[in-house]
Amino acid sequence: MMRFTGLALAAPFAVGLAASDGRTEETLQGMLATQLRAQGYACDKPLKAERDDKLSKPDNEAWTLTCSNATYRVSRVPDLAAKVEKVEEGKENK
C-alpha cells in the first residue's frame, strides 16, 4: 500500500515539473509587467519577455518586455526599483 501511495503522489509532481517550462515564461512576463505597473508604466497585456545578454551582468538582468501597447527595456537589480526605458517602434535593437 505504501508503494502505491508514493507513486500516486509522485505522478502529479512529475507532471507539474514537465509543464513548468511553459509557465515559467508566463510568470516572468507577468512579473515584469507587474513591476512596470507598480512603477507607473502602462503594460496592458504582456506578450513576450526576452533576456538581453549584451546588457545583462551579474546581479543586473536586462530584459526587453513587449506589451500589447508598448515595448520596454527593463534592467533589474536586486532590492532596487527597475530601470525602465520605453523603446520606440522600430528601435528594439541598439
Side-chain angles (χ1 to χ4, degrees), residues 38-68:
Q39 290 182 224
Y41 295 90
C43 180
D44 294 338
K45 180 180 176 188
L47 303 174
K48 177 174 61 170
E50 295 177 316
R51 188 173 193 273
D52 189 333
D53 292 330
K54 290 181 182 178
L55 296 177
S56 293
K57 300 173 189 158
D59 290 332
N60 186 353
E61 292 183 332
W63 298 90
T64 300
L65 178 65
T66 304
C67 301
S68 60

Side-chain angles (χ1 to χ4, degrees), residues 37 41 46 77 80 90:
R37 290 182 200 118
Y41 295 90
V77 177
L80 295 175

Side-chain angles (χ1 to χ4, degrees), residues 62-84:
W63 298 90
T64 300
L65 178 65
T66 304
C67 301
S68 60
N69 59 316
T71 300
Y72 299 97
R73 193 168 290 119
V74 182
S75 294
R76 299 181 63 234
V77 177
D79 300 323
L80 295 175
K83 179 182 174 189
V84 181

Side-chain angles (χ1 to χ4, degrees), residues 10-46:
F13 180 73
V15 170
L17 286 177
S20 66
D21 288 339
R23 287 190 299 232
T24 301
E25 190 66 28
E26 289 177 7
T27 302
L28 174 63
Q29 293 170 14
M31 180 200 57
L32 289 172
T34 299
Q35 186 167 13
L36 287 180
R37 290 182 200 118
Q39 290 182 224
Y41 295 90
C43 180
D44 294 338
K45 180 180 176 188

Side-chain angles (χ1 to χ4, degrees), residues 80-91:
L80 295 175
K83 179 182 174 189
V84 181
E85 174 185 353
K86 188 172 181 178
V87 179
E88 295 179 33
E89 285 188 42
K91 296 187 179 183

